Amino acid sequence: MSLHPVIDEVTERVIARSRAPRAEYLAKIEHARRIGPHRGELSCGNLAHGFAVEDKPGKDALAGSKRPNIAIVSAYNEMLSAHQPLGDFPPLIKEAAWAAGGVAQFAGGVPAMCDGVTQGQPGMELSLFSRDNIAMATAIALTHNMFDGALCLGVCDKIVPGLMIGALSFGHLPVLFVPGGPMTSGLSNKIKSQVRQRFAAGEIGRDELLKAESMSYHSPGTCTFYGTANSNQLLMEFMGLHLPGSSFVNPNTPLRDALTRRAGAHVVGLSAMGDNYRPIGRIVDEKAVINGIVGLLASGGSTNHTMHIVAMARAAGVKIDWTDFAEISAVVPLMARVYPNGVADVNHFAAAGGIQFMIRELLAAGLLHDDVSTVVGDGLHRYTQEPFLDGDELVWREGASESHDTDVLRGVAEPFAATGGLRVLTGNLGRGIIKISAVEKEHRTIHAPAKVFPSQEHVLEAYQAGELERDTAIVVINQGPRGNGMPELHKLTPSLGVLQDKGYQVALITDGRMSGASGKIPAAIQITPEARLGGLIGRIRDGDMIALDAEAGKLRVEVDDAELEAREPTTFEDKPETEFGFGRELFAVFRRNVGSAEEGACALLDAQPAETETRTTVAEQEPAE
């Protein structure tokens, strides 16, 4: 089928917008390809350091530059259930790479913090910027100039985007991303959410809450709800950077181990020393980025990727913005219902047909680019296949052509909604994002007075004091990248859910983030410009009427423009200290130099002057209709 005209139009616009930075990027990686790696030209001291720990066959192979050398860059640690299985991967990869005619070396580890552990805690203020730190650590691992390719081992939240940004700075290398897979299903996410709300309502104690949480997060593997971590995995397939069908295979299974071994063998054949050279900088192009956005929207994925995809694209010289997201979302149907958008988890999604069914349907509808390069060859249609074991042999077969459970996964002809799961909001506060796929239709339009807070802790104090028992638009400011590092405000969800269940109109308005598992409360997030840079969200006052229409993509504070412009930004005498403790002082350079959420909120790519505040008018913040 021919490409959908809107997808075609957006793609051509992105190509035109990106022409200069993309050409500059491609020239840089071509230069890098020509000059290295040349292990044989390293000094003897350099090379001796590089293979000092190898056995004699490994030393001989690396000394003669006869075998491609593959870097293993891993985010393994035991704080993330999703990353604990990665500790077993390097021996499997090394063995497979050697058998395929290559060598693999563990080049470096990258930091990986768990948002589940730090949610609502001071450490969450380092979360977004840890992505930039991971990108830098990836570059450090690869900078030894010993490598002909790389495998990036990571799963969660900021980790995959960070690995991607770092890998793209070595875009002349072929790079595969190697997932760990989701944990098996435990306590259902729906019941877990209900238990959290009962705790927020004071109906149960901490012991019962902890028991439920432990039954939900119970083993190695990715959390089973459809948040940022599992959105990452889907994106890597839609962008052609995984082995097909590898995203949602459970850890510590024969199939998972077989896929890990195959990744180690496969990347050897993609190096410039072979005849199937496929550098990551060529794979991640404008069409691959558009495919990633389509996959995110069709699956109802994480709002965090309205920043992460932008940053990853910019690292490859591709410029996208939220208007591109909005126009694509208007024509891409919502095909999946996975918690918090439904009751199923990612294991149910995979069993229903998963990514393979989605890609098949979207290709047939002309909503994806098939003419792309991937790590397994030309054409995204290769990702309609799923892996399985035929005895001990790993093989692929065509995936589901029909959904096995239409309560979880549907085709393009009969989707859950005609449009994607995210909306871009515009109005006199600027631009923002809302995830409506998890919000029931009756809660998507809110008209309520504002109550302004400096932090989520202050919101919870007001909730406990009974001050929010009414229709309320809760406005939490100074939560943007420049403000305090843009922590997720997921801790608010259970309490606000209680208020909504009592029949009140409730919405969250913030220049901060919500979790990738943004729930049933309408949350207008990532408002740009942020309050710290003079954004008008910082001039909302208690009692101002807020009008949110998620379906129409509109958000306004109903205050005369002249009055709004004349106001001074809200200040708080008891503003919590967010610039020291828990390592936050070490990340001040990121807060000073980071750009806006719509620009990807990446200090490495934005490099803006260290200003603390600018004055912005209504006219500057409200886009023309």
Side-chain angles (χ1 to χ4, degrees), residues 251-266:
N252 303 319
T253 62
L255 180 56
R256 176 85 275 159
D257 289 347
L259 285 163
T260 301
R261 290 190 181 94
R262 179 62 62 89
H266 186 76

Side-chain angles (χ1 to χ4, degrees), residues 1-13 287 290-291 294 324 326-333 361-371 412 418-419:
M1 184 175 179
S2 61
L3 193 65
H4 190 287
V6 171
I7 302 298
D8 186 35
E9 179 182 347
V10 173
T11 303
E12 290 304 313
R13 184 173 68 222
K287 292 181 179 180
I290 295 297
N291 283 349
V294 171
D324 302 325
E327 294 185 12
I328 294 172
S329 185
V331 299
V332 170
E361 285 280 308
L362 291 165
L363 282 172
L367 292 167
L368 287 172
H369 293 283
D370 190 34
D371 56 335
V412 169
T419 57

Side-chain angles (χ1 to χ4, degrees), residues 45 50 63 71 107 125 132 189 202 242 249 257 267 292 307 309 313 331 350 398-399 405 416 447 474 539 557 571 618:
E125 293 176 15
D132 296 7
N189 288 292
H242 270 178
V249 175
D257 289 347
V267 70
M307 292 185 294
I309 294 178
V331 299
E398 282 300 316
D405 187 345
F416 293 102
H447 190 250
I474 294 166
R539 295 181 225 170
V557 55
T571 58
V618 173

Side-chain angles (χ1 to χ4, degrees), residues 275 282 602 608:
D275 56 5
R282 294 281 181 180
C602 183
Q608 296 184 355

Side-chain angles (χ1 to χ4, degrees), residues 89 92-93 96 178 243 246 249-250 252-266 387-396:
F89 286 12
L92 303 180
I93 291 167
V178 183
L243 293 180
S246 60
V249 175
N250 301 124
N252 303 319
T253 62
L255 180 56
R256 176 85 275 159
D257 289 347
L259 285 163
T260 301
R261 290 190 181 94
R262 179 62 62 89
H266 186 76
F388 71 103
L389 289 175
D390 184 3
D392 294 330
E393 183 182 3
L394 177 63
V395 295
W396 273 262

Side-chain angles (χ1 to χ4, degrees), residues 186-231:
L187 183 71
S188 78
N189 288 292
K190 181 179 180 180
I191 295 176
K192 175 191 69 179
S193 179
Q194 292 171 345
V195 172
R196 286 178 175 177
Q197 281 203 191
R198 291 185 64 201
F199 177 77
E203 297 173 3
I204 60 172
R206 181 180 172 86
D207 288 347
E208 190 168 348
L209 175 64
L210 181 58
K211 180 180 179 182
E213 298 285 1
S214 299
M215 290 171 66
S216 181
Y217 307 120
H218 62 90
S219 71
T222 316
C223 305
T224 60
F225 62 83
Y226 191 47
T228 312
N230 287 315
S231 296

